[in-house]
Structures are given as structure tokens and as C-alpha cells.
Amino acid sequence: MYLPGIRTALAGALTLLAALPLHTSGGNENTGEPQPPPDTELSYIEIRDEVPNPDRGFYRPIATRLYRTGNAPVSEKHIRQIAGEHGCIIHLRCGLEDFSRNAALKRHDADTPGKDGDLTQDALRALDQTLDNIRKTGSTAILRFSYDLDGTCRSPHGYEPPLTQILSHIAQLGRIISRHQATVLCIETGLFGPWGEQHGTPTSNSPASYPPMLDAWLRALPQHLTVSVRRPLYYVHWAAAHGADISIGTIHQPDRLRKLDAFGKANAHRIGIYNDGYLGTAFDYGTFSNREKETDWLSRQAQTTFYGGEVVKDPDSPLALGPYNNTDFISREGFKTHTTYLNREWNPEIIAAWKKETYMGSDPAYRGSDGYTYIRNHLGYRFVLRESRQTSPQRPDSSTRLHIAIENVGFGNIIRPKKAELILRNGLHSATIRLKEIDIRAWKSRTTAHLDLDILPPSNLPPGNYGIYLRLTQPSTGPACLPIRFANLPQQYDEKLQANRIGTLLIPPGRRQKQDTIIIRTATSILPSSPSL
């Protein structure tokens, strides 16, 4: 069933014309009489199955250390064992203790201090190869670096080297990370405090630490990569240093950013939050000072950044679940904060409790489901084909109008750039065109994208019924292309094409036009989804 959007002033339209070079492949001529398109083969209902998609979902952590010498990358075999058949988000936690005199490593049952200094080429090569091994498994990575990987260092001076040395490390790390833009989702800036959680040391407790640290990350990384800090307060420190008239009490007021300097205006949208106290208390273990105001800010900020972390127990509840970390609360605040990722391994008691809960919300697709299924499926984006209908051409040489509606029912959004392609396929015959005018980052949570496609197929495709497919991937190729599947029936996804079927095109006999391209005109409007969901 298609659930129509509500047409409001939010609706916008974009009309573009594309006639692009085409890749085609041919086979034996189909001489049979074309049949009407089998549009009824498509389902428009969301399934409850787990749909493996990149850039969202439960992550799996991998911890490793970088040393001055003797480094070995995390092997592809080990990553594949953890990530599974379809890959997943890998939360790569890298210890840098060997490069800080204030940190210490256990070696031969004794604490051995590190030494301040730049990261060695041996260490950087190991990181480079580890990221390449993650790519080979079809996985993506969230990165966090720290000078106290396991939270065991004890020093009154903190574990970090001087800030100038930290900034040098960031510049070095940025050069490696920039080689792996297709693999790296975002950077949890870490570096300060135990586990890189930005608390508990003089450096992490100093407001002056955050502006230079964030500036260094933002300058070291490509513009589309985002970074995250542990608390909204640290964003406030950064924004204030760049001229904003802002405090933690006014963070929810967008006009407070009007006085940002040029660098601040160019980069404010790139700074998000990682929350390792997710839903544990009213303030998420110090993440928030004022939950309502700071999640109001996060509802906007997480339109362009990743938000997630580790769910934790409520210390005041004798049970695993408290007033915040339960399915009912997440089903409401998750949409507000656009929660995209959580740790699959923490907290196991809460995850087990979610599996025993029953979803009692308003989404009819999940009534009677367990809480874990609902939360798992809604982390990040989740696209559902809601409608596909077409107008037949009036004559053999005219175009076919295909209207489709795709709803994002997930908590979150597409953050990184994606490539959209339209594919026509009939047995051995196929044609593909890049849809450069479609940017699926506009398909926000709780909206429905309505696309009208006027399709004129190339003259070298013989008559017959052709499946129409939409392929959404990373701009790269190979394992890192990371195709996106819709949450419709599995048979509507073609594994070989890595594309979702969205309709059928009838190419009639008797065409006279001569062209070797698909000519396609698109019109797109983004409308809010039904409020019942």
C-alpha cells in the first residue's frame, strides 16, 4: 500500500534534462510481440527483515594499537570474520600510547612510557593497510584514536602528549584517511581522555583544547567527511572561538551562528556528536546539560553528520531498562536525533531486554514486533518503494513517464555523497545511465521522494519488456561501491546488478529515432511522510 505524503509548503521541484553517454550490451533480437508491463509484480510494503546497507546500523568494534616499529595491520580475514558476509560498520579504535610520554604500555609485565614524537611511517603503513582491508570486506569504518585505548593509564598529567604534538598527529592521520574516503564514514575526534571519550584529563577538561583540535581535523580531511565530539558543549567551545555568540544554553537557537567567521560558516555543518552514554540517564552520563535544548540542536545538526554511540544502563534502575533506554523512548527520540549507529556488543543486557520488549508504537508495519527488530531496522536511513506507475507512450518514438515514490522510514539520513544510476534490462540486453541530477541526501528521515522520470530508450535496444532498476552506490567501484537495498521484498533487488527494481518499460516495435543514449528527464519533489508513521 502506498501511503501518500502530505503536500505542504515544504514541497519543492527540480527539473533537469540529461542526455549522457551510455553503456549498452546486446544479445539476440527479441522478435516476440511485446506484452503490457507487469507493474503488479512490485510490492510497496516494508518488510521487517534486516536489510544490509552501508553507513548505518549496529557496528562491530575492533581495537588495535600503532607502535613505533613492528606494526602489523588488522588482517582482512579477521575483519571478515567480524563483519560477516555483507560487511558492516567497523568501529576502529586505535591506541597511540607509544607516541606520548604521558601514556604507558604493558610490556613484559611492566609499564613502559611512550615518547612524544610524530607517528612513524611503519605505524602509518599499518593504518593504511588496515583501512584497505576493511574496504575489501565491503565494510565501512568509524575511526577513533586515543592515547589510552583501554582506559587503564594513570597519570595526574593525563595521557596525552602536548597539544602541539596532538595537532601534528592529526595532520599525519588525515593524509592516510583521505586516501580511504569511500571506506571512512566519519571521525570520532577522540584523542583526549580514557578511551578517547574526552573527559577526565586536564586536556579534555580545558575548553581551549577543542577549537584547535577540531580545526586540525577539519583541515586535514576532505570536505565531505564529518567529525564528531563527545558533547554538544565542545561544539559550543569551537563555534565561540570562531565568532559565534553562543553558549550551551543557546545552542538550540540557529541565529546564534550568524557571526561565525568564514571558516566557521564553511565547516559548522561537519561537526556532530558521538554518545557513549546513550540513553543511560536524563543527561546521558554528562553528554547533555539540557536534553531538550541540545537534542533540538542535534535534530538539525544530524541532518549532515552521523550520530550514534553506545547504549548504557540506567544506574538508578534495578532492571536493564530505565525511562530512556527502552524501545518506546527510542522510537520517539531516535527520529529527533537521527540516530544512525550503535555498538552491537554494548550493552548486552539492554540489547537482550529489547528483544523481550514488544513495540507498541504507531507504525503498523511493526505492531507486535520485538523492540530490537524495530530499533535495528530504524538505525540510519531505510528506503521503501511506495509507488510505481507509468504512462504508456502515445507513439513508438515518444517517451514513457514513470512515477515512483521512495520513503525514508529510518531514524537517520544519507550523509555521504552517493551515485544514482538507471538501468534497463531484458535478458542479455541492458543499458545504464548516470542520474547526476538526483542527490539522495535530500531524501531525509520521514520524507517521501516523488520522482517523475521521462524515459526514451536508445535505438539499439530491441522491442520487449525491460525491467527498470535504480542503483544507488558510492561513487567508487568494486567492494567499496556499497550498494543500497530497499526494504521491500528481496526479489525486487537484483544481486548481480546491485540495483532495486522500480518498474517495467515496454519498448514497442516500429521505432524510428536514432540515438545511442537514454534520454531522461526527471522531476523530483520531497514531501513529508504520513504522520501516522
Side-chain angles (χ1 to χ4, degrees):
M1 178 189 304
Y2 168 58
L3 300 175
I6 302 172
R7 296 184 178 271
T8 71
L10 294 177
L14 170 67
T15 304
L16 296 168
L17 179 66
L20 304 177
L22 171 73
H23 167 74
T24 63
S25 60
N28 295 327
E29 184 90 9
N30 181 358
T31 58
E33 185 71 13
Q35 299 298 314
D39 290 336
T40 56
E41 292 183 0
L42 293 175
S43 170
Y44 309 113
I45 298 173
E46 180 188 358
I47 59 174
R48 291 185 185 177
D49 298 20
E50 182 174 10
V51 179
N53 271 323
D55 301 5
R56 49 131 337 257
F58 281 102
Y59 71 70
R60 300 296 299 271
I62 292 179
T64 187
R65 280 191 170 94
L66 299 179
Y67 301 95
R68 293 183 174 277
T69 59
N71 289 280
V74 181
S75 71
E76 178 185 346
K77 179 180 179 181
H78 179 64
I79 297 167
R80 199 174 294 279
Q81 289 172 341
I82 291 174
E85 176 186 1
H86 297 288
C88 68
I89 298 176
I90 297 295
H91 195 281
L92 187 65
R93 305 168 181 184
C94 295
L96 304 178
E97 291 91 341
D98 218 9
F99 302 92
S100 172
R101 66 186 178 192
N102 293 323
L105 291 169
K106 283 285 186 183
R107 288 175 174 154
H108 308 295
D109 297 323
D111 287 340
T112 303
K115 297 179 181 179
D116 292 346
D118 285 348
L119 305 177
T120 61
Q121 289 303 305
D122 188 68
L124 294 171
R125 277 192 295 269
L127 175 62
D128 186 50
Q129 186 60 58
T130 295
L131 292 174
D132 195 51
N133 288 341
I134 291 174
R135 176 194 63 83
K136 292 175 183 177
T137 68
S139 297
T140 54
I142 296 170
L143 305 185
R144 188 196 298 178
F145 300 89
S146 75
Y147 301 96
D148 183 14
L149 180 63
D150 50 16
T152 60
C153 290
R154 297 292 181 267
S155 169
H157 308 293
Y159 328 115
E160 309 91 348
L163 185 58
T164 53
Q165 184 66 72
I166 294 174
L167 301 183
S168 179
H169 289 168
I170 291 171
Q172 290 183 281
L173 294 169
R175 287 191 285 272
I176 300 299
I177 294 167
S178 296
R179 301 176 189 170
H180 300 274
Q181 299 179 42
T183 301
V184 176
L185 293 190
C186 65
I187 306 298
E188 294 181 350
T189 52
L191 294 172
F192 303 159
W195 306 284
E197 291 188 3
Q198 300 183 340
H199 65 80
T201 66
T203 302
S204 62
N205 293 336
S206 171
S209 300
Y210 292 92
M213 182 269 288
L214 279 167
D215 285 352
W217 276 120
L218 292 167
R219 288 191 170 100
L221 300 172
Q223 184 68 23
H224 77 271
L225 278 181
T226 64
V227 301
S228 302
V229 289
R230 181 63 184 82
R231 302 172 64 192
L233 177 63
Y234 303 152
Y235 171 90
V236 169
H237 295 333
W238 174 85
H242 284 279
D245 179 19
I246 192 172
S247 68
I248 195 62
T250 61
I251 191 174
H252 62 298
Q253 300 173 9
D255 61 347
R256 295 287 179 165
L257 300 179
R258 284 183 300 179
K259 295 182 180 180
L260 278 173
D261 60 24
F263 184 82
K265 289 178 179 177
N267 291 282
H269 69 284
R270 297 174 61 195
I271 302 174
I273 301 298
Y274 64 97
N275 187 349
D276 286 349
Y278 188 70
L279 303 180
T281 67
F283 305 104
D284 284 8
Y285 281 90
T287 302
F288 304 120
S289 302
N290 183 306
R291 187 181 205 97
E292 182 178 359
K293 290 181 178 180
E294 291 167 59
T295 55
D296 282 349
W297 167 78
L298 193 54
S299 70
R300 297 189 305 273
Q301 199 70 9
Q303 298 278 354
T304 56
T305 61
F306 292 95
Y307 176 65
E310 293 180 335
V311 67
V312 294
K313 292 178 64 175
D314 187 326
D316 297 324
S317 175
L319 305 175
L321 300 182
Y324 297 97
N325 58 12
N326 59 79
T327 300
D328 178 65
F329 188 85
I330 298 172
S331 70
R332 290 178 281 113
E333 192 181 81
F335 282 106
K336 182 180 182 181
T337 59
H338 305 301
T339 304
T340 292
Y341 65 90
L342 290 174
N343 187 350
R344 187 184 295 273
E345 298 180 10
W346 194 263
N347 182 294
E349 291 182 58
I350 295 172
I351 292 175
W354 286 344
K355 294 179 179 180
K356 296 177 182 178
E357 280 194 298
T358 300
Y359 171 74
M360 302 296 288
S362 60
D363 188 342
Y366 287 88
R367 285 178 187 153
S369 165
D370 64 273
Y372 174 80
T373 296
Y374 180 86
I375 294 166
R376 177 197 68 194
N377 288 358
H378 285 80
L379 291 175
Y381 65 89
R382 185 174 174 92
F383 295 140
V384 181
L385 180 68
R386 292 300 195 190
E387 184 180 16
S388 176
R389 54 183 170 82
Q390 67 175 264
T391 303
S392 299
Q394 299 299 311
R395 58 184 187 276
D397 289 338
S398 60
S399 62
T400 296
R401 165 67 61 89
L402 176 69
H403 174 84
I404 60 172
I406 301 167
E407 183 179 13
N408 182 357
V409 301
F411 294 150
N413 308 299
I414 295 285
I415 304 299
R416 302 197 294 164
K418 302 295 181 185
K419 178 172 66 174
E421 296 173 292
L422 187 81
I423 302 171
L424 305 180
R425 185 185 183 194
N426 176 2
L428 297 177
H429 305 283
S430 66
T432 303
I433 189 170
R434 174 85 177 266
L435 303 176
K436 293 184 177 180
E437 66 274 22
I438 293 179
D439 186 350
I440 68 172
R441 288 176 293 183
W443 302 359
K444 299 296 187 182
S445 172
R446 282 185 161 172
T447 68
T448 301
H450 294 262
L451 284 73
D452 288 298
L453 309 173
D454 286 338
I455 305 169
L456 189 62
S459 54
N460 60 348
L461 289 182
N465 284 325
Y466 285 76
I468 307 174
Y469 295 86
L470 184 62
R471 181 162 61 198
L472 306 172
T473 63
Q474 285 287 99
S476 57
T477 58
C481 76
L482 304 174
I484 293 174
R485 304 167 186 242
F486 293 167
N488 297 98
L489 291 177
Q491 56 265 36
Q492 291 176 205
Y493 181 80
D494 188 294
E495 293 282 354
K496 184 176 181 180
L497 293 177
Q498 297 181 314
N500 302 278
R501 185 161 182 159
I502 58 172
T504 303
L505 176 70
L506 173 63
I507 299 181
R511 294 181 299 151
R512 294 185 299 274
Q513 90 275 12
K514 298 296 182 182
Q515 81 216 31
D516 58 0
T517 63
I518 299 176
I519 297 179
I520 184 166
R521 182 170 56 248
T522 73
T524 303
S525 60
I526 310 296
L527 306 176
S529 299
S530 168
S532 66
L533 297 183

